[in-house]
Amino acid sequence: MFSVLCKVFFLDGGSTTIPIQKTDTVEVLLAAVVEKLEIQHESNTFCLYEVNREWQSYLRPDVLPGEVKNSWNNDPDCYFLLRKRFFMHPELPCDDPSAETFIFAQVREDVLASRYEPTADEAILLASYCVQIDFGNHNPTHHKPGYLTRTIKNFIPEQLLPSRSPQAWEEAIFMKHQELVDKSPEECKKAYLEVCRTWHYYGSTFFPVKYVSDGNRKLGIKVFISLNVQGIHVLRNPSKEVLATFAYNDVLSWGSSPRTFAFTAGEEHAQSKHTFDTRMGSEISSVIQGYIDLIIEEMNEVVEEDEPKVEETVPEPEPAEEQPAPAEE
């Protein structure tokens, strides 16, 4: 008998309700959601988050959703959210329609929140794909000046938005939108993600931090820590210019406290410690560990596939020696 109903929301506005036991973990709930949605592409890279008015927090696999839900005291602004936490092969297109739907919704949100920073031309092109998805073919009778101006923030990244008037953005978007006649929503989503995959930071998770020290140098500058399958990247804030990159193979150790995150990189005889002020240290550490675990898992799968299969052969019995016939008496 199920005792807890967990409603899980998606970034495209949809949701699903999963019945679980009080003793079931987030791992059980997540597996049920992924199975119900028929997600096949990198299904182990999706995770559940707890969302409230101020933040969203990753839920570890061993957490009990029933206890989390009880702590909300029926607050309607608290809910479970499905997100893709890891991008293991961001350069490759997704061939799973179900997974692609969720990836598109998440990437679109990241673009509008300026976690990704397209150029103005890229933003206009991406916006035109979204208009085609949301409203269909361009229709001069309906798509007149003013059609998008009140909702332009739903199409243009927040950091780019002030650089032009809503009317100018709308005009540029409609010019591109006219070129997309008869493009299906699926085609537009694929084209949208194809543009995003050209960005070197696509699939990354960003953390705004203060870079305290690099080895013996005291810095005290605001930067982003960017984490993806390739490693740890330190980016200039706000331009996201790459200042340094550390592959996971070169990271010797990492750790966090309530107010700091630090890692040591290099070789045994040439190490440098990098320290940052942040309250997100435990989350940064968790993402790093998650990527390393998934990389090792993939490496082990490749090794298992490459190992020659040993076929057991049963030796054929040797023919019995002919015995001499008994002599006739």
Side-chain angles (χ1 to χ4, degrees), residues 48-66:
L48 291 178
Y49 289 74
E50 175 190 4
V51 180
N52 66 18
R53 291 186 182 89
E54 299 177 356
W55 44 256
Q56 56 180 257
S57 177
Y58 163 68
L59 292 171
R60 299 190 316 274
D62 59 341
V63 168
L64 300 180

Side-chain angles (χ1 to χ4, degrees), residues 72 75 102 161 168 174 181 202 216 245 271 274 284 299 309:
W72 297 340
D75 187 337
F102 293 99
L161 197 53
F174 277 156
V181 175
Y202 172 70
N216 296 323
T245 293
Q271 303 176 7
H274 304 264
I284 295 172
M299 291 173 62
K309 295 181 179 179

Side-chain angles (χ1 to χ4, degrees), residues 11 94 97 136 145 168 184 186 220 239 245 268 270 277 288 291:
L11 289 170
C94 176
S184 69
E186 291 72 24
S239 67
T245 293
E268 185 177 350
D277 280 347
I288 292 173
Y291 268 117

Side-chain angles (χ1 to χ4, degrees), residues 41-42 84 86-94 116 193 196-204 228-230 291:
H41 176 80
E42 297 185 357
K84 184 172 172 65
F86 305 103
F87 287 73
M88 295 303 294
H89 302 281
E91 75 285 358
L92 300 178
C94 176
Y116 298 141
L193 293 174
C196 299
R197 284 197 301 272
T198 64
W199 303 333
H200 66 85
Y201 45 72
Y202 172 70
S204 299
N228 59 25
V229 70
Q230 297 171 340
Y291 268 117

Side-chain angles (χ1 to χ4, degrees), residues 5 7 13 22-23 87 119 123 136 163 196 206 212 255 290-291 322 324 327:
L5 292 177
K7 191 171 186 178
K22 285 184 178 180
T23 55
F87 287 73
T119 64
S163 65
C196 299
F206 301 98
V212 177
Y291 268 117
E322 292 186 4

Side-chain angles (χ1 to χ4, degrees), residues 175-192:
M175 288 288 290
K176 282 292 183 183
H177 182 216
Q178 294 176 41
E179 302 172 6
L180 302 177
V181 175
D182 293 336
K183 288 283 187 182
S184 69
E186 291 72 24
E187 289 174 313
C188 289
K189 290 175 183 178
K190 288 183 180 296
Y192 188 106

